[in-house]
Amino acid sequence: MRVIVVGAGVVGTMHAWHAVERGHEVVQIEREAEARGASLRNFGQIWVSGRAGGEELRTALRARELWERIGGRVPALGFRPNGSLTPVRGDLEHAVAEAAVARPDAAARGYRLLTPGEARALNPALRGAFDAALHCERDAAVEPRTAQLALRAALLKSPRYTFLPGREVREVIGERAVRDDHGDLHTGDAVVLCTGAWLSGLVRELAGPDLPVRRVRLQMMQTAPLGEPLTTSVADADSFRYYPAYTSPALDELNARRPQEPTAAEHRMQLLMVQRADGGLTIGDTHEYEHPFAFDTLEDPYEHLTGVVESLLGRPLPAVRRRWAGVYAQALDPGRVVHRQRVRDGVWLVTGPGGRGMTCAPAIAETTADELNW
């Protein structure tokens, strides 16, 4: 079988990976020299802890297993099973963490509620004041800025894989063929469009104007090296308000009695923090849903995040070296991990994983391969 994959972000690259692994010939087409979207502008987290129970959690756990397996073959991915800690303060936050540990799927996530001493034994960099910490053993991380490059370098070792950068697919010709902006025709047995947040043009033409996917904008930043290991990923209790795994009467009580700080509420914020291979910290994030998106980045969210991080680390944050904004595609149905749609015979659109893209991409692509009988 010959598979045409359009898009070289993490979702597209994982589709190419599974197709090559199953013995198929793959042509992957990317409109940029390399993917430049949300697949690079993220935390690199394999984030199991906050996923909704059921299909979303099963997908995340399977993806975590696949990331570890692929990371063993491609060390440059920087896969590390670092887990995560969410420090909590006060009875209201503590009750939400207790409710999470009481979930029937808590063991699958590796949830434990730790004392401050136990949390600092696991991550000594957390010197700030907190009352307890929710530990998720199954969380992990990779290096987002280089993961696709590492995967592509491994794919290029196969004679069955071809990468065509700098080509924008303009039209689908008949069944199972696409034409790019160089005028070249690429024909296969299956075409998978993994176009990320690019939802206009060809995607709108094929899927129609009512595609149930929206675009979401976020802001993030990265610091200079911390100077010591941050041995786990770190979240704050605002992540309880954002991720579906924490839905409970205790969360309702937290929201009612202690609303988010105004800047965090205005920008729909949570803290997520991961240490990069160079020692720097990737920190975020915000969520903007209303179009048109702002074209500039705002300082108030960064100042808020700096304060939260410093309160947890008990020390000043290293100098910020990079700030950026990104846009990802999110399926409108919260019960769907991804929007997967046959838009023409032999042509599939796979988009809208939302903030789950980096976490779930290997399992999303595996499911596509299974459903298409690759």
Side-chain angles (χ1 to χ4, degrees), residues 230-311:
L230 186 76
T231 55
T232 69
S233 298
V234 176
D236 74 345
D238 276 344
S239 67
F240 292 158
R241 309 176 198 263
Y242 182 75
Y243 283 106
Y246 306 118
T247 301
S248 66
L251 179 61
D252 295 339
E253 186 76 2
L254 172 65
N255 287 328
R257 293 180 55 189
R258 204 175 78 197
Q260 273 189 295
E261 189 274 339
T263 297
E266 178 184 358
H267 298 284
R268 300 175 177 90
M269 296 181 66
Q270 61 179 341
L271 169 70
L272 296 177
M273 177 168 59
V274 185
Q275 189 169 44
R276 300 270 65 90
D278 69 356
L281 304 176
T282 297
I283 299 170
D285 64 351
T286 65
H287 299 88
E288 184 179 355
Y289 302 104
E290 292 78 24
H291 289 247
F293 293 143
F295 59 84
D296 45 8
T297 57
L298 303 176
E299 281 302 304
D300 287 355
Y302 292 120
E303 292 173 1
H304 170 79
L305 289 170
T306 297
V308 173
V309 171
E310 291 183 344
S311 76

Side-chain angles (χ1 to χ4, degrees), residues 45-66:
Q45 287 180 315
I46 317 305
W47 195 245
V48 172
S49 50
R51 301 300 167 203
E55 180 188 359
E56 185 174 328
L57 178 59
R58 289 192 296 271
T59 302
L61 287 170
R62 175 58 178 164
R64 164 65 165 77
E65 178 183 347
L66 291 168

Side-chain angles (χ1 to χ4, degrees), residues 85-308:
L85 287 171
T86 304
V88 299
R89 295 166 174 148
D91 293 342
L92 294 172
E93 292 180 3
H94 196 278
V96 180
E98 287 181 321
V101 172
R103 290 181 60 101
D105 55 18
R109 302 170 189 267
Y111 277 162
R112 293 186 300 154
L113 191 55
L114 305 183
T115 67
E118 290 170 332
R120 292 190 183 99
L122 194 60
N123 190 339
L126 295 177
R127 299 186 184 91
F130 54 92
D131 300 322
L134 180 64
H135 179 222
C136 181
E137 181 269 338
R138 297 303 292 162
D139 288 335
V142 294
E143 291 300 299
R145 288 177 179 263
T146 57
Q148 276 70 247
L149 297 176
L151 287 168
R152 182 150 307 107
L155 283 167
L156 286 167
K157 295 177 182 178
S158 170
R160 298 190 305 276
Y161 175 77
T162 301
F163 180 53
L164 299 177
R167 293 170 181 257
E168 183 174 322
V169 171
R170 291 290 180 84
E171 58 181 328
V172 174
I173 308 297
E175 299 177 4
R176 304 174 178 87
V178 301
R179 191 184 306 279
D180 66 28
D181 59 357
H182 291 216
D184 293 335
L185 186 68
H186 308 277
T187 302
D189 300 292
V191 176
V192 184
L193 305 172
C194 302
T195 55
W198 177 43
L199 303 175
S200 58
L202 178 64
V203 173
R204 182 182 291 119
E205 177 184 327
L206 292 170
D210 299 320
L211 182 68
V213 178
R214 66 177 174 180
R215 300 170 79 235
V216 182
R217 183 180 185 266
L218 71 160
Q219 287 185 206
M220 298 175 63
M221 63 182 177
Q222 189 166 327
T223 73
L226 181 63
E228 64 179 318
L230 186 76
T231 55
T232 69
S233 298
V234 176
D236 74 345
D238 276 344
S239 67
F240 292 158
R241 309 176 198 263
Y242 182 75
Y243 283 106
Y246 306 118
T247 301
S248 66
L251 179 61
D252 295 339
E253 186 76 2
L254 172 65
N255 287 328
R257 293 180 55 189
R258 204 175 78 197
Q260 273 189 295
E261 189 274 339
T263 297
E266 178 184 358
H267 298 284
R268 300 175 177 90
M269 296 181 66
Q270 61 179 341
L271 169 70
L272 296 177
M273 177 168 59
V274 185
Q275 189 169 44
R276 300 270 65 90
D278 69 356
L281 304 176
T282 297
I283 299 170
D285 64 351
T286 65
H287 299 88
E288 184 179 355
Y289 302 104
E290 292 78 24
H291 289 247
F293 293 143
F295 59 84
D296 45 8
T297 57
L298 303 176
E299 281 302 304
D300 287 355
Y302 292 120
E303 292 173 1
H304 170 79
L305 289 170
T306 297
V308 173

